[in-house]
Amino acid sequence: MTFSQFSSYIQKIEETASRLTMTEILADLFSHLDVHECAHAAYLLQGNISPKYRPQQFNFAEKLVIRSLAELFSIQPAQLTQQYKQEGDLGTTIQGLKQKQKSINKSKHTIEVVFAKLVAIAQYEGAGSQERKMHGFAQLISEVDPLSARYLVRIPVGALRLGFSDMTMLDALSWMMTGDKSLRRKLQKAYHVFPDLGYIGTVLKKQGLSAVEKIKPEVFTPIIMMRAERITSAQDIIDKIGTCIIEPKYDGFRLQVHKKGDKVVLFTRGLEVATYMYPDIVKAVQDEVSADEIIFEGEAIGYNPETSSFLPFQLTVQRKRKHGISEKAKEIPLKLYSFDLLYLDGTNHIHSPFVERKKLLRENIDNHNDATKDSIIPAEETVVEEAKRIEALFDDAVARGLEGIMAKKMTGTYQPGTRDWNWIKYKKSYSSKVTDTIDCVVMGYDFGKGKRTAFGIGAFLVGVFDPKNDQYFTIAKIGTGLKDEEWHKLLSLIKPLKVAHIPSSFIVDDLMACDVWVTPKIVVEIRADEITRSPVHTAGRVMQKTKTGTAMEVKEPGYALRFPRLEHFRLDKSPQEATSIKEIKTISL
Ligand code: ATP
C-alpha cells in the first residue's frame, strides 16, 4: 500500500468521533495491507516506528523539525512557528504549504519505504547527526503528497494522536477476520502476554487465530501486569478464596524483571523500560538470581539499613529520576521484594498455581536471609486459614510502615492484564469513608481566577475509564488542596498534552467543559471522602429521551467524588489502567 493511501485512512479516522466507525476503518485498512506491512502500519498508527513498550526516540527536537521544514519551504523558522501556533497543528500547516506549491507531488512511496526512511532518520547518531536528521526529514517531506506530509510531520514530534487505544486496534483485527468484535477476548489474551500490536496483527494475518492463541511470553517483551481485587474485611477474604497465602503489601513501585544470562531489563507497571534508572537492582539481579532465563516481579521499596526499616513511599519514589541516578541510589537504597515468577528457563509459568510459582522463585534467588546483605528478597509469606490470623498479619504489616497485606489464592494462576480475585489487597484507610483511592485520568483544566491566574491553572477535570468502549467519563473537578509545587508539576505534565478539540473518547457534560483539553495520559491518585451522585458528572450516568423525544435528560445521575484531593501522581500507570466505572460502582457500595 502506498503511504498516500495509508494517509487517507488516517484522515478518515481523524474525521470520525465514533469508535465503531474507527474500528471499521481500521479493519478495512488491515484487510488491505500485505502481511509484511501490518507491523509498520500498526506502529505508525500509534505515532511511532516500534512497539509501545520500546518506543524509538527520534531525538529530533521540535525546533529542529521546524527549522528543516522552514528551509524546505524557503521561509523563516519564526514565521513557520507563528503560523503553526495559530493553527495549533504543525501537520495542517505543512499540508497547507505543500498544497500551495506549484507541482504537487503524487508520491508512490509505499508504507514500507516511508517506514524505512523514518527508521534511518531516528537512528542517525554522533557528530553531525542533527544535520542529517534535518536533511533526511526535509527530503522525505518533499517527496510525499500534502496529506501524507500532514501526518508524517506529527510523528517525530510525538503529535500523531489518533485518539484510539490498543483495545480499538484489537477490535479492528477481530472485525477484519469476522466482521464483529467477537475475537477481542482471544486477541486480548495474546496481547496481555505480548503487547505488540504489530506482531499480533502480523501473526493473525499470516497464520490465523490459532497461531495468535499460541503466543507465549518471551524474555525482554513485558507481560501486562496482573492486578488485585480489593476487599475490606479479613473474613471476606477467607469466604472468597479460603486458605490462602498472605504477603505484606509493600508500598513502593512494581518492577517486572527480565533476565537472560547477564542481560537484565526492568519494566515498570506502565511497561516502560526502567533499566537505566535502577542500576543497583540490575546488579543485584545479576548477583543474586541464579536462573539463566527468568521473568519475575517484585515491589521495589526504599530501605534504611541503619534502622532496618522501610522508607515511606514519598522517599522511595524519589528514585524515579533521569539524572543524578547513582547519588540517589546511595542515599535511598532499594530492596526488591519479589512476589511472582512468570517464566523460567524456557517454560511459561503463568498457568502454574501460585504456590508453585513462588516456590520456584525462592529456589532461584540466592538468599542469606539477611536484609542487610540481600537486595532481591522473596516476599514474606504465611499460609492462613482463619480471618483472625489475617487481622494479626495486617496489624503487623501496618505497624512496620507497610500499606496492608495481599492475600493470594494458593492455586491461583497469573492473569496478565486482569484484575483478579486470585490476588486480593486489603488496605485500611482511617481518614475517609472511601477505603481505597481512585486512579483518575486528567482530561482538561481551567485557567483559574485570582492568585491562580499567575499559575496558569486553577482547576482540573478528572475521569475514570470504560475499557469496554474505550471512553473516559468525568468524576470530579478539583480546584483546591494542591500545594503550589503540585500545581506546577501538574501543569508542566499536562501543558504539552494540550489538544485543539475535546478528544472523541471524552464524555463530558457541558457544565464541566474546560478551558484546555488534554490527551488522556496523566493518571493521578485521588482520595475522596465519599462517592456521591451528581447529574453533572458522566461516570455511570444514565440518560434517557425526554417525553417529547426531542432531547435527552438524566435518568440516573453519575458518580462524583466528594472532597477529592490529590494523593500522588501515578506516572507508572497508563490511562487505561485508571479505575474503571465498574470498580467505582463496587467501591461506592
Ligand atoms: P494500589 O494503588 O492499591 O497500590 P494499584 O492500582 O496500583 O493498587 P493493584 O494491582 O490494584 O495496583 O494493587 C497491587 C499492587 O500492589 C501491585 O501492583 C504492586 O505494585 C503492589 N504490591 C505490593 N506488595 C505486593 C505483593 N506482595 N504482591 C503483589 N503486589 C504487591
Short mmCIF file of all heavy atoms in Angstrom, two decimals, residues 295-351:
data_model
loop_
_atom_site.label_atom_id
_atom_site.label_comp_id
_atom_site.label_asym_id
_atom_site.label_seq_id
_atom_site.Cartn_x
_atom_site.Cartn_y
_atom_site.Cartn_z
N ILE A 295 11.57 -14.44 34.08
CA ILE A 295 10.76 -13.22 34.20
C ILE A 295 10.10 -13.30 35.58
O ILE A 295 9.43 -14.30 35.89
CB ILE A 295 9.66 -13.12 33.13
CG1 ILE A 295 10.25 -13.22 31.71
CG2 ILE A 295 8.87 -11.82 33.28
CD1 ILE A 295 9.21 -13.19 30.58
N PHE A 296 10.35 -12.31 36.43
CA PHE A 296 9.68 -12.30 37.73
C PHE A 296 9.33 -10.87 38.11
O PHE A 296 9.78 -9.92 37.47
CB PHE A 296 10.54 -12.98 38.81
CG PHE A 296 11.78 -12.24 39.22
CD1 PHE A 296 11.79 -11.45 40.37
CD2 PHE A 296 12.96 -12.32 38.48
CE1 PHE A 296 12.93 -10.77 40.77
CE2 PHE A 296 14.11 -11.64 38.87
CZ PHE A 296 14.10 -10.86 40.01
N GLU A 297 8.49 -10.76 39.15
CA GLU A 297 8.04 -9.44 39.56
C GLU A 297 8.27 -9.19 41.03
O GLU A 297 8.30 -10.13 41.83
CB GLU A 297 6.53 -9.30 39.30
CG GLU A 297 6.20 -9.12 37.87
CD GLU A 297 4.71 -8.89 37.66
OE1 GLU A 297 3.95 -8.76 38.64
OE2 GLU A 297 4.31 -8.83 36.49
N GLY A 298 8.40 -7.94 41.37
CA GLY A 298 8.55 -7.58 42.77
C GLY A 298 8.24 -6.12 42.97
O GLY A 298 8.03 -5.37 42.01
N GLU A 299 8.19 -5.72 44.24
CA GLU A 299 7.95 -4.32 44.59
C GLU A 299 9.26 -3.75 45.11
O GLU A 299 9.85 -4.30 46.06
CB GLU A 299 6.85 -4.25 45.67
CG GLU A 299 6.38 -2.86 45.99
CD GLU A 299 5.25 -2.37 45.06
OE1 GLU A 299 4.92 -3.05 44.07
OE2 GLU A 299 4.70 -1.29 45.36
N ALA A 300 9.74 -2.70 44.46
CA ALA A 300 10.98 -2.07 44.92
C ALA A 300 10.61 -1.05 45.98
O ALA A 300 9.71 -0.24 45.79
CB ALA A 300 11.67 -1.39 43.75
N ILE A 301 11.31 -1.11 47.10
CA ILE A 301 10.98 -0.19 48.19
C ILE A 301 12.27 0.29 48.85
O ILE A 301 13.21 -0.48 49.01
CB ILE A 301 9.98 -0.87 49.18
CG1 ILE A 301 9.61 0.08 50.33
CG2 ILE A 301 10.48 -2.16 49.72
CD1 ILE A 301 8.38 -0.37 51.13
N GLY A 302 12.28 1.58 49.18
CA GLY A 302 13.45 2.16 49.84
C GLY A 302 13.63 1.55 51.22
O GLY A 302 12.65 1.24 51.91
N TYR A 303 14.89 1.39 51.61
CA TYR A 303 15.18 0.67 52.85
C TYR A 303 16.25 1.43 53.61
O TYR A 303 17.24 1.89 53.03
CB TYR A 303 15.68 -0.72 52.46
CG TYR A 303 15.91 -1.64 53.61
CD1 TYR A 303 14.84 -2.28 54.22
CD2 TYR A 303 17.20 -1.88 54.08
CE1 TYR A 303 15.06 -3.15 55.29
CE2 TYR A 303 17.42 -2.74 55.14
CZ TYR A 303 16.34 -3.37 55.73
OH TYR A 303 16.55 -4.24 56.79
N ASN A 304 16.04 1.57 54.91
CA ASN A 304 17.06 2.23 55.72
C ASN A 304 17.88 1.16 56.43
O ASN A 304 17.41 0.52 57.38
CB ASN A 304 16.37 3.15 56.74
CG ASN A 304 17.38 3.88 57.59
OD1 ASN A 304 18.55 3.49 57.65
ND2 ASN A 304 16.93 4.94 58.23
N PRO A 305 19.13 0.92 55.98
CA PRO A 305 19.91 -0.18 56.55
C PRO A 305 20.25 0.06 58.03
O PRO A 305 20.43 -0.89 58.79
CB PRO A 305 21.18 -0.21 55.70
CG PRO A 305 21.16 1.00 54.84
CD PRO A 305 19.84 1.66 54.94
N GLU A 306 20.31 1.33 58.44
CA GLU A 306 20.67 1.59 59.84
C GLU A 306 19.57 1.18 60.81
O GLU A 306 19.83 0.65 61.88
CB GLU A 306 21.00 3.07 60.04
CG GLU A 306 22.45 3.35 59.67
CD GLU A 306 22.66 4.76 59.21
OE1 GLU A 306 21.97 5.66 59.73
OE2 GLU A 306 23.51 4.95 58.31
N THR A 307 18.33 1.44 60.39
CA THR A 307 17.23 1.12 61.30
C THR A 307 16.49 -0.15 60.86
O THR A 307 15.53 -0.56 61.50
CB THR A 307 16.20 2.27 61.31
OG1 THR A 307 15.75 2.45 59.96
CG2 THR A 307 16.79 3.56 61.82
N SER A 308 16.95 -0.75 59.77
CA SER A 308 16.29 -1.93 59.19
C SER A 308 14.81 -1.68 58.96
O SER A 308 13.97 -2.53 59.21
CB SER A 308 16.43 -3.16 60.08
OG SER A 308 17.75 -3.44 60.30
N SER A 309 14.47 -0.48 58.51
CA SER A 309 13.04 -0.21 58.28
C SER A 309 12.81 0.27 56.85
O SER A 309 13.74 0.72 56.17
CB SER A 309 12.55 0.83 59.28
OG SER A 309 13.31 2.00 59.13
N PHE A 310 11.55 0.17 56.43
CA PHE A 310 11.18 0.61 55.09
C PHE A 310 11.03 2.12 55.06
O PHE A 310 10.61 2.73 56.06
CB PHE A 310 9.87 -0.03 54.66
CG PHE A 310 9.95 -1.52 54.58
CD1 PHE A 310 9.24 -2.33 55.45
CD2 PHE A 310 10.76 -2.13 53.62
CE1 PHE A 310 9.33 -3.70 55.38
CE2 PHE A 310 10.85 -3.50 53.54
CZ PHE A 310 10.14 -4.29 54.42
N LEU A 311 11.31 2.69 53.92
CA LEU A 311 11.12 4.13 53.78
C LEU A 311 9.71 4.39 53.26
O LEU A 311 9.16 3.57 52.53
CB LEU A 311 12.14 4.71 52.80
CG LEU A 311 13.62 4.56 53.21
CD1 LEU A 311 14.52 5.15 52.15
CD2 LEU A 311 13.86 5.27 54.54
N PRO A 312 9.14 5.55 53.61
CA PRO A 312 7.81 5.85 53.08
C PRO A 312 7.83 6.04 51.57
O PRO A 312 8.88 6.36 50.99
CB PRO A 312 7.42 7.15 53.78
CG PRO A 312 8.67 7.70 54.35
CD PRO A 312 9.64 6.58 54.51
N PHE A 313 6.68 5.82 50.97
CA PHE A 313 6.55 5.90 49.50
C PHE A 313 7.14 7.19 48.94
O PHE A 313 7.82 7.19 47.93
CB PHE A 313 5.07 5.77 49.12
CG PHE A 313 4.82 5.82 47.65
CD1 PHE A 313 5.09 4.73 46.84
CD2 PHE A 313 4.34 6.98 47.06
CE1 PHE A 313 4.89 4.79 45.47
CE2 PHE A 313 4.13 7.05 45.68
CZ PHE A 313 4.40 5.94 44.90
N GLN A 314 6.89 8.33 49.65
CA GLN A 314 7.37 9.63 49.16
C GLN A 314 8.88 9.64 48.99
O GLN A 314 9.39 10.35 48.12
CB GLN A 314 6.98 10.77 50.14
CG GLN A 314 5.51 11.10 50.16
CD GLN A 314 4.70 10.14 51.01
OE1 GLN A 314 5.16 9.05 51.37
NE2 GLN A 314 3.48 10.51 51.31
N LEU A 315 9.60 8.86 49.81
CA LEU A 315 11.06 8.81 49.65
C LEU A 315 11.43 7.81 48.56
O LEU A 315 12.25 8.09 47.68
CB LEU A 315 11.74 8.42 50.96
CG LEU A 315 11.82 9.53 52.01
CD1 LEU A 315 12.50 9.03 53.27
CD2 LEU A 315 12.60 10.72 51.46
N THR A 316 10.81 6.64 48.60
CA THR A 316 11.12 5.62 47.59
C THR A 316 10.95 6.19 46.19
O THR A 316 11.78 5.97 45.31
CB THR A 316 10.17 4.41 47.76
OG1 THR A 316 10.38 3.84 49.02
CG2 THR A 316 10.42 3.37 46.69
N VAL A 317 9.88 6.94 46.01
CA VAL A 317 9.54 7.42 44.67
C VAL A 317 10.58 8.41 44.12
O VAL A 317 10.68 8.62 42.91
CB VAL A 317 8.10 7.98 44.68
CG1 VAL A 317 8.05 9.42 45.12
CG2 VAL A 317 7.43 7.79 43.34
N GLN A 318 11.41 8.95 45.02
CA GLN A 318 12.47 9.86 44.54
C GLN A 318 13.51 9.13 43.69
O GLN A 318 14.32 9.76 43.02
CB GLN A 318 13.16 10.52 45.74
CG GLN A 318 12.29 11.52 46.43
CD GLN A 318 13.03 12.21 47.56
OE1 GLN A 318 14.24 12.21 47.62
NE2 GLN A 318 12.27 12.79 48.47
N ARG A 319 13.49 7.79 43.75
CA ARG A 319 14.42 7.04 42.91
C ARG A 319 14.03 7.08 41.43
O ARG A 319 14.80 6.71 40.56
CB ARG A 319 14.50 5.58 43.40
CG ARG A 319 15.32 5.38 44.65
CD ARG A 319 16.81 5.69 44.42
NE ARG A 319 17.38 5.04 43.27
CZ ARG A 319 17.92 3.83 43.28
NH1 ARG A 319 17.98 3.15 44.40
NH2 ARG A 319 18.44 3.31 42.18
N LYS A 320 12.80 7.49 41.17
CA LYS A 320 12.36 7.61 39.76
C LYS A 320 12.89 8.90 39.22
O LYS A 320 12.35 9.96 39.50
CB LYS A 320 10.84 7.66 39.70
CG LYS A 320 10.23 6.35 39.63
CD LYS A 320 8.77 6.47 39.32
CE LYS A 320 8.15 5.12 39.57
NZ LYS A 320 6.73 5.15 39.57
N ARG A 321 13.98 8.86 38.49
CA ARG A 321 14.56 10.11 38.00
C ARG A 321 15.43 9.83 36.78
O ARG A 321 15.84 8.70 36.53
CB ARG A 321 15.39 10.75 39.10
CG ARG A 321 16.39 9.78 39.73
CD ARG A 321 17.29 10.42 40.77
NE ARG A 321 16.54 11.15 41.74
CZ ARG A 321 16.77 12.44 42.02
NH1 ARG A 321 17.73 13.08 41.43
NH2 ARG A 321 16.04 13.05 42.92
N LYS A 322 15.70 10.90 36.05
CA LYS A 322 16.51 10.73 34.84
C LYS A 322 17.96 11.14 35.09
O LYS A 322 18.86 10.75 34.38
CB LYS A 322 15.91 11.58 33.71
CG LYS A 322 14.52 11.09 33.32
CD LYS A 322 14.20 11.43 31.88
CE LYS A 322 12.96 10.69 31.41
NZ LYS A 322 11.81 11.50 31.23
N HIS A 323 18.18 11.99 36.13
CA HIS A 323 19.54 12.48 36.39
C HIS A 323 19.92 12.20 37.84
O HIS A 323 19.05 11.99 38.68
CB HIS A 323 19.61 13.99 36.12
CG HIS A 323 19.11 14.34 34.75
ND1 HIS A 323 19.83 14.07 33.61
CD2 HIS A 323 17.95 14.89 34.34
CE1 HIS A 323 19.12 14.45 32.55
NE2 HIS A 323 17.97 14.95 32.97
N GLY A 324 21.21 12.22 38.10
CA GLY A 324 21.69 12.01 39.47
C GLY A 324 21.31 10.64 40.00
O GLY A 324 21.05 10.48 41.20
N ILE A 325 21.30 9.66 39.11
CA ILE A 325 20.81 8.32 39.48
C ILE A 325 21.71 7.65 40.53
O ILE A 325 21.23 7.16 41.55
CB ILE A 325 20.68 7.45 38.21
CG1 ILE A 325 19.48 7.95 37.41
CG2 ILE A 325 20.56 5.97 38.54
CD1 ILE A 325 19.32 7.36 36.04
N SER A 326 23.04 7.69 40.32
CA SER A 326 23.89 6.93 41.24
C SER A 326 23.94 7.58 42.62
O SER A 326 23.99 6.87 43.63
CB SER A 326 25.29 6.73 40.65
OG SER A 326 25.81 7.96 40.26
N GLU A 327 23.90 8.93 42.68
CA GLU A 327 23.91 9.59 44.00
C GLU A 327 22.65 9.19 44.79
O GLU A 327 22.71 8.84 45.96
CB GLU A 327 23.89 11.14 43.88
CG GLU A 327 25.15 11.76 43.28
CD GLU A 327 25.19 11.62 41.76
OE1 GLU A 327 24.13 11.46 41.16
OE2 GLU A 327 26.30 11.64 41.18
N LYS A 328 21.50 9.24 44.09
CA LYS A 328 20.24 8.92 44.76
C LYS A 328 20.22 7.45 45.19
O LYS A 328 19.64 7.08 46.21
CB LYS A 328 19.09 9.20 43.80
CG LYS A 328 17.93 10.07 44.20
CD LYS A 328 17.85 10.66 45.51
CE LYS A 328 16.85 11.68 45.79
NZ LYS A 328 17.24 12.78 46.61
N ALA A 329 20.87 6.59 44.38
CA ALA A 329 20.89 5.16 44.71
C ALA A 329 21.62 4.94 46.03
O ALA A 329 21.25 4.06 46.81
CB ALA A 329 21.55 4.37 43.58
N LYS A 330 22.64 5.77 46.29
CA LYS A 330 23.37 5.62 47.57
C LYS A 330 22.52 6.13 48.72
O LYS A 330 22.46 5.54 49.79
CB LYS A 330 24.67 6.43 47.50
CG LYS A 330 25.75 5.66 46.77
CD LYS A 330 27.09 6.35 46.88
CE LYS A 330 27.92 6.03 45.66
NZ LYS A 330 28.30 7.19 44.89
N GLU A 331 21.83 7.23 48.46
CA GLU A 331 21.02 7.85 49.51
C GLU A 331 19.81 6.99 49.87
O GLU A 331 19.43 6.84 51.01
CB GLU A 331 20.55 9.20 48.95
CG GLU A 331 20.06 10.20 49.95
CD GLU A 331 19.52 11.41 49.18
OE1 GLU A 331 20.22 11.94 48.27
OE2 GLU A 331 18.39 11.79 49.45
N ILE A 332 19.17 6.45 48.81
CA ILE A 332 17.95 5.64 49.02
C ILE A 332 18.15 4.26 48.40
O ILE A 332 17.73 4.00 47.27
CB ILE A 332 16.71 6.33 48.41
CG1 ILE A 332 16.57 7.74 48.99
CG2 ILE A 332 15.44 5.53 48.64
CD1 ILE A 332 15.46 8.57 48.37
N PRO A 333 18.81 3.34 49.11
CA PRO A 333 19.00 2.01 48.54
C PRO A 333 17.66 1.28 48.44
O PRO A 333 16.77 1.50 49.28
CB PRO A 333 19.94 1.31 49.52
CG PRO A 333 19.93 2.12 50.76
CD PRO A 333 19.41 3.48 50.45
N LEU A 334 17.53 0.45 47.44
CA LEU A 334 16.25 -0.26 47.23
C LEU A 334 16.39 -1.75 47.52
O LEU A 334 17.46 -2.33 47.29
CB LEU A 334 15.80 -0.10 45.77
CG LEU A 334 15.41 1.28 45.28
CD1 LEU A 334 15.14 1.25 43.78
CD2 LEU A 334 14.19 1.81 46.03
N LYS A 335 15.32 -2.31 47.97
CA LYS A 335 15.22 -3.77 48.05
C LYS A 335 14.09 -4.15 47.11
O LYS A 335 13.10 -3.43 47.01
CB LYS A 335 14.80 -4.21 49.46
CG LYS A 335 15.73 -3.77 50.55
CD LYS A 335 16.88 -4.72 50.68
CE LYS A 335 17.89 -4.27 51.71
NZ LYS A 335 19.21 -4.84 51.49
N LEU A 336 14.27 -5.28 46.44
CA LEU A 336 13.18 -5.73 45.57
C LEU A 336 12.51 -6.93 46.22
O LEU A 336 13.05 -8.04 46.22
CB LEU A 336 13.71 -6.09 44.17
CG LEU A 336 12.62 -6.45 43.17
CD1 LEU A 336 11.80 -5.21 42.79
CD2 LEU A 336 13.21 -7.06 41.90
N TYR A 337 11.33 -6.69 46.81
CA TYR A 337 10.59 -7.78 47.43
C TYR A 337 9.84 -8.52 46.33
O TYR A 337 8.89 -7.99 45.76
CB TYR A 337 9.67 -7.25 48.54
CG TYR A 337 10.49 -6.96 49.76
CD1 TYR A 337 11.13 -5.75 49.93
CD2 TYR A 337 10.70 -7.97 50.70
CE1 TYR A 337 11.94 -5.52 51.03
CE2 TYR A 337 11.51 -7.74 51.80
CZ TYR A 337 12.13 -6.53 51.96
OH TYR A 337 12.96 -6.32 53.03
N SER A 338 10.32 -9.72 46.03
CA SER A 338 9.86 -10.41 44.82
C SER A 338 8.69 -11.31 45.15
O SER A 338 8.76 -12.08 46.13
CB SER A 338 11.02 -11.21 44.25
OG SER A 338 12.10 -10.31 44.09
N PHE A 339 7.63 -11.19 44.36
CA PHE A 339 6.42 -11.93 44.74
C PHE A 339 5.87 -12.86 43.68
O PHE A 339 4.93 -13.59 43.93
CB PHE A 339 5.33 -10.98 45.25
CG PHE A 339 5.04 -9.80 44.34
CD1 PHE A 339 4.37 -9.96 43.15
CD2 PHE A 339 5.44 -8.52 44.72
CE1 PHE A 339 4.08 -8.88 42.35
CE2 PHE A 339 5.15 -7.43 43.91
CZ PHE A 339 4.48 -7.60 42.71
N ASP A 340 6.43 -12.86 42.49
CA ASP A 340 5.87 -13.79 41.50
C ASP A 340 6.87 -14.15 40.41
O ASP A 340 7.76 -13.35 40.10
CB ASP A 340 4.61 -13.20 40.84
CG ASP A 340 3.56 -14.27 40.61
OD1 ASP A 340 3.92 -15.38 40.19
OD2 ASP A 340 2.37 -14.00 40.87
N LEU A 341 6.70 -15.33 39.87
CA LEU A 341 7.56 -15.79 38.78
C LEU A 341 6.67 -16.18 37.60
O LEU A 341 5.69 -16.91 37.78
CB LEU A 341 8.37 -17.00 39.26
CG LEU A 341 9.22 -17.71 38.21
CD1 LEU A 341 10.55 -18.13 38.82
CD2 LEU A 341 8.52 -18.93 37.65
N LEU A 342 6.97 -15.68 36.42
CA LEU A 342 6.09 -15.90 35.27
C LEU A 342 6.72 -16.80 34.20
O LEU A 342 6.01 -17.39 33.39
CB LEU A 342 5.73 -14.55 34.62
CG LEU A 342 5.36 -13.42 35.57
CD1 LEU A 342 4.91 -12.21 34.82
CD2 LEU A 342 4.25 -13.88 36.48
N TYR A 343 8.02 -16.88 34.22
CA TYR A 343 8.70 -17.62 33.16
C TYR A 343 10.05 -18.06 33.68
O TYR A 343 10.73 -17.29 34.38
CB TYR A 343 8.88 -16.66 31.97
CG TYR A 343 9.65 -17.22 30.79
CD1 TYR A 343 8.98 -17.82 29.73
CD2 TYR A 343 11.03 -17.12 30.75
CE1 TYR A 343 9.69 -18.32 28.65
CE2 TYR A 343 11.75 -17.61 29.67
CZ TYR A 343 11.06 -18.21 28.62
OH TYR A 343 11.77 -18.70 27.55
N LEU A 344 10.42 -19.30 33.38
CA LEU A 344 11.71 -19.78 33.86
C LEU A 344 12.33 -20.75 32.86
O LEU A 344 11.71 -21.76 32.51
CB LEU A 344 11.51 -20.49 35.22
CG LEU A 344 12.76 -21.06 35.87
CD1 LEU A 344 13.72 -19.94 36.31
CD2 LEU A 344 12.37 -21.91 37.09
N ASP A 345 13.51 -20.43 32.41
CA ASP A 345 14.29 -21.31 31.53
C ASP A 345 13.44 -22.02 30.47
O ASP A 345 13.40 -23.25 30.42
CB ASP A 345 15.07 -22.32 32.38
CG ASP A 345 16.12 -21.61 33.22
OD1 ASP A 345 16.64 -20.57 32.78
OD2 ASP A 345 16.42 -22.08 34.33
N GLY A 346 12.76 -21.26 29.67
CA GLY A 346 12.03 -21.82 28.54
C GLY A 346 10.60 -22.25 28.87
O GLY A 346 9.85 -22.64 27.98
N THR A 347 10.22 -22.23 30.15
CA THR A 347 8.85 -22.65 30.49
C THR A 347 8.00 -21.45 30.92
O THR A 347 8.41 -20.66 31.77
CB THR A 347 8.87 -23.71 31.62
OG1 THR A 347 9.75 -24.74 31.21
CG2 THR A 347 7.49 -24.28 31.88
N ASN A 348 6.82 -21.38 30.31
CA ASN A 348 5.85 -20.35 30.65
C ASN A 348 5.12 -20.79 31.92
O ASN A 348 4.51 -21.85 31.95
CB ASN A 348 4.89 -20.24 29.46
CG ASN A 348 3.70 -19.36 29.74
OD1 ASN A 348 3.70 -18.62 30.72
ND2 ASN A 348 2.70 -19.42 28.87
N HIS A 349 5.17 -19.98 32.97
CA HIS A 349 4.56 -20.40 34.24
C HIS A 349 3.29 -19.66 34.59
O HIS A 349 2.79 -19.80 35.71
CB HIS A 349 5.57 -20.27 35.38
CG HIS A 349 6.49 -21.44 35.45
ND1 HIS A 349 6.10 -22.68 35.90
CD2 HIS A 349 7.78 -21.57 35.09
CE1 HIS A 349 7.11 -23.52 35.81
NE2 HIS A 349 8.15 -22.88 35.32
N ILE A 350 2.76 -18.85 33.67
CA ILE A 350 1.59 -18.07 34.10
C ILE A 350 0.39 -18.96 34.45
O ILE A 350 -0.48 -18.55 35.19
CB ILE A 350 1.21 -16.94 33.11
CG1 ILE A 350 0.84 -17.47 31.76
CG2 ILE A 350 2.26 -15.88 33.01
CD1 ILE A 350 0.36 -16.37 30.81
N HIS A 351 0.38 -20.17 33.91
CA HIS A 351 -0.75 -21.06 34.24
C HIS A 351 -0.46 -21.97 35.44
O HIS A 351 -1.31 -22.75 35.84
CB HIS A 351 -1.11 -21.91 33.02
CG HIS A 351 -1.39 -21.08 31.79
ND1 HIS A 351 -2.39 -20.15 31.76
CD2 HIS A 351 -0.77 -21.02 30.59
CE1 HIS A 351 -2.38 -19.54 30.58
NE2 HIS A 351 -1.39 -20.05 29.86
#
